Amino acid sequence: MRKRLERHLDWNLAKRKALVTPEWLRDSVAQDHLLPCADYAALPDLKEAAEKHCPRSTSQSIQTPSYKPSSPFPSPHTSFIESPFRTAHVNPGPPAFLLPPPVPLLTPKLDHTARFSCSRASPLISVNQSLCSAFDVLRCSRVLEGNERSALSYARAIARVSLTVNSAFPRKITASERSEVQKLPFIGAKISKMIDEYLFYGEIAEIEEKRKSERFVSLSLFASIYGIGPVTARKLYDRGLRTLRDLEAYYEADIGPAPIGQSDSTEMNIRIALELRDDLVQTISRDEVEAIHSTILDHLNAVEPGCVSTLVGGYRRGKPASNDIDIVFTHPNTTSAKGLCTRLIARLRSSGLVTHVMHLSSFHEYNTLRTAHWDSLEKALTVYRTPNDGQHRRVDLICALPDTYWTAVVGWTGGTTFERDLRSAAKAIGLKFDSSGITRRRDSKIIYPRSEKEVFDIIGLPWVDPTLRNTDA
Ligand code: ATP
Ligand code: MG
Ligand code: MN
């Protein structure tokens, strides 16, 4: 009905398009060419418009793209990389990325009961936020104590209760719905009991105690310093350290003067992070994230004109304030994209914008057996100094090759449980996902998606908007 359509789309806009039913697409695929649209108009009133604006239905029109790709690589020489899930014919003539994006005939839907969080909608602010934050205390505590297994079950519980209970929309867990929640995957006996306690008393005794415990408070504080992991945090605690002052005194005494510029020793990094702590604990507003991105992009394009980038991380998931800034970038030309990170860093350093580089790794050969690295992307974890007021900000710069751009964007958008589940979902169908590509395990064939949507398509997942990937507390 027109009324219903108008809830989603302006009528005048609708009249400038060929709005058709999904049958048009199915039949066009079945017959291997674009069918005339008039017979498939979404509404009788739109039949004329559908006819007028229908893509030309000769096979020639398929080869003459009218689709403006969202892909940042408008090079007509981009080669087509075979996807194992694409059944439609592939014409070697036109570059595949110029065709309309693939629309799976059966689009999987987001489902709140799905096992993997990458098939569910996880909004930024959960209606069950205080329960999520409570579970996060235990998750952090388990991480700090080195109990990864237990940490993982709390991470899963958070991703689970952070969203919807039994509808497509987030709902608060109430006493009447508790049994439904408790039936969901990854909500075991212990967590069920905690949910009951929470519903009855509004808090969970074990968690409230943990929040106040000296050990938890100190370990959390230590681990908030960039470079201090759980193992180091526990060592420091065992040596009797408790406060920030203790930490400063310890590192002051233990290590010589702070080095200027690049450092690769962990201890030196900790020292730097301690010195910059007052700046680095501050969160970064969206405006500031955008301003820093824009400055960095100017420098990037001075190094190599024509670069493209995406702000990823928490910013992309809609967080109003981020702990750091994550930027994925590339150049459409593979040769120009190589070594871009090193060149950019050199420039940012000499202009005084980057004061420290915590970690600079570059491409290594693609190695399907590698385990030590998250991915083989060239990246620099830096400290950036704002030119106006000299505030220090953490900026992660990730340089992808054009082929790995979209997996890098997905891999660096997060959240953490979303990423973990994405890997599991890929594994379940014989693929390996990481930020530097998707590998088919059977024959180690590497698949490079040509859009963010295609990453999801290849793994057989429904599209999840970045703002619905907030699986963490
Ligand atoms: P915030 O920065 O506000 O704390 P965030 O979600 O941006 O939130 P980050 O630690 O910046 O957190 O991580 C951003 C994303 O990048 C996450 O999805 C994480 O999985 C991914 N990521 C972080 N570090 C690495 C790494 N070394 N290799 C691969 N991926 C990483
Ligand atoms: Mg971040
Ligand atoms: Mn980061």
Side-chain angles (χ1 to χ4, degrees):
M1 283 166 63
R2 172 167 170 176
K3 253 202 165 128
R4 223 174 123 194
L5 179 82
E6 280 186 307
R7 271 193 255 148
H8 305 281
L9 193 65
D10 180 77
W11 185 249
N12 286 322
L13 181 63
K15 282 197 303 193
R16 294 202 300 271
K17 309 265 174 208
L19 284 189
V20 293
T21 62
E23 274 64 48
W24 174 82
L25 184 64
R26 291 199 186 99
D27 293 353
S28 294
V29 170
Q31 298 189 29
D32 214 15
H33 67 273
L34 305 181
L35 294 170
C37 298
D39 295 342
Y40 296 89
L43 295 176
D45 283 357
L46 290 173
K47 189 167 174 167
E48 215 171 284
E51 188 160 23
K52 187 164 160 211
H53 300 291
C54 192
R56 276 181 303 128
S57 39
T58 64
S59 61
Q60 180 58 34
S61 76
I62 291 184
Q63 306 221 3
T64 316
S66 57
Y67 165 69
K68 181 94 175 49
S70 63
S71 157
F73 321 118
S75 149
H77 305 296
T78 300
S79 61
F80 176 77
I81 292 113
E82 185 205 334
S83 150
F85 301 98
R86 187 182 304 276
T87 48
H89 68 288
V90 177
N91 219 320
F97 73 94
L98 287 177
L99 296 173
V103 181
L105 295 189
L106 287 170
T107 309
K109 286 261 160 48
L110 294 179
D111 168 12
H112 76 282
T113 62
R115 182 178 174 81
F116 296 129
S117 64
C118 51
S119 297
R120 310 195 299 253
S122 311
L124 182 63
I125 303 293
S126 161
V127 283
N128 297 305
Q129 193 58 49
S130 69
L131 181 57
C132 290
S133 306
F135 282 152
D136 202 45
V137 171
L138 288 186
R139 187 195 62 80
C140 290
S141 157
R142 300 302 192 257
V143 169
L144 290 167
E145 299 298 352
N147 187 347
E148 286 302 326
R149 263 186 92 87
S150 176
L152 185 59
S153 51
Y154 287 107
R156 284 177 168 149
I158 290 163
R160 179 62 68 186
V161 299
S162 77
L163 63 144
T164 107
V165 175
N166 58 5
S167 73
F169 298 97
R171 287 246 294 272
K172 213 172 160 68
I173 300 176
T174 61
S176 63
E177 275 161 338
R178 50 176 279 278
S179 63
E180 245 172 289
V181 181
Q182 290 165 347
K183 269 189 298 210
L184 294 169
F186 300 125
I187 301 289
K190 170 135 198 234
I191 286 169
S192 281
K193 228 176 120 227
M194 286 180 169
I195 293 177
D196 283 344
E197 188 180 340
Y198 174 82
L199 288 172
F200 200 79
Y201 298 106
E203 58 177 40
I204 301 161
E206 182 186 340
I207 294 176
E208 295 316 307
E209 241 155 69
K210 183 62 77 183
R211 273 193 220 270
K212 285 179 253 154
S213 96
E214 184 186 42
R215 184 173 168 92
F216 176 68
V217 171
S218 293
L219 291 181
S220 305
L221 172 72
F222 298 167
S224 75
I225 311 295
Y226 189 83
I228 299 188
V231 175
T232 311
R234 291 200 298 271
K235 265 192 205 141
L236 296 167
Y237 189 88
D238 291 346
R239 287 197 186 151
L241 278 67
R242 295 292 180 269
T243 65
L244 199 58
R245 283 253 27 95
D246 294 346
L247 212 56
E248 278 165 354
Y250 176 82
Y251 279 100
E252 196 88 10
D254 215 42
I255 309 162
I260 305 298
Q262 175 143 8
S263 73
D264 31 37
S265 116
T266 311
E267 298 232 320
M268 276 190 256
N269 282 345
I270 296 174
R271 208 189 142 103
I272 293 163
L274 262 174
E275 255 166 43
L276 303 177
R277 183 176 187 272
D278 288 346
D279 280 4
L280 298 186
V281 290
Q282 287 173 33
T283 56
I284 315 164
S285 72
R286 295 183 71 79
D287 283 350
E288 194 182 343
V289 170
E290 285 157 22
I292 292 177
H293 175 228
S294 148
T295 305
I296 290 178
L297 205 56
D298 288 345
H299 284 271
L300 185 58
N301 279 306
V303 166
E304 190 70 54
C307 288
V308 287
S309 71
T310 301
L311 266 170
V312 289
Y315 170 89
R316 190 152 182 263
R317 300 197 309 275
K319 274 174 82 166
S322 300
N323 292 309
D324 73 351
I325 301 173
D326 306 286
I327 302 172
V328 171
F329 61 92
T330 190
H331 191 281
N333 182 325
T334 303
T335 320
S336 311
K338 277 187 186 158
L340 208 47
C341 206
T342 317
R343 290 160 67 207
L344 174 65
I345 291 300
R347 190 183 160 100
L348 292 174
R349 257 181 184 297
S350 62
S351 60
L353 287 172
V354 160
T355 55
H356 301 86
V357 180
M358 302 293 199
H359 167 84
L360 180 68
S361 74
S362 57
F363 302 109
H364 15 100
E365 278 298 291
Y366 199 95
N367 161 20
T368 43
L369 292 175
R370 76 190 178 281
T371 45
H373 300 273
W374 286 41
D375 54 51
S376 58
L377 297 167
E378 192 190 25
K379 56 186 167 273
L381 317 181
T382 73
V383 176
Y384 179 96
R385 190 172 171 278
T386 59
N388 318 339
D389 52 7
Q391 292 273 311
H392 293 87
R393 305 291 186 220
R394 282 262 306 106
V395 176
D396 288 342
L397 298 167
I398 302 106
C399 179
L401 292 176
D403 280 343
T404 58
Y405 189 74
W406 293 113
T407 45
V409 166
V410 173
W412 280 81
T413 296
T416 314
T417 303
F418 183 92
E419 297 293 338
R420 188 188 304 112
D421 285 352
L422 197 64
R423 286 166 224 262
S424 305
K427 192 172 176 188
I429 58 164
L431 300 174
K432 179 182 186 327
F433 171 86
D434 81 29
S435 295
S436 43
I438 298 174
T439 315
R440 190 161 65 187
R441 288 170 186 268
R442 169 160 58 85
D443 53 4
S444 300
K445 186 181 174 66
I446 307 171
I447 306 151
Y448 296 122
R450 292 152 306 157
S451 69
E452 187 174 18
K453 169 83 165 62
E454 216 176 274
V455 176
F456 288 80
D457 289 346
I458 291 168
I459 305 176
L461 293 171
W463 167 252
V464 183
D465 190 82
T467 57
L468 297 176
R469 301 180 202 168
N470 287 289
T471 48
D472 310 335

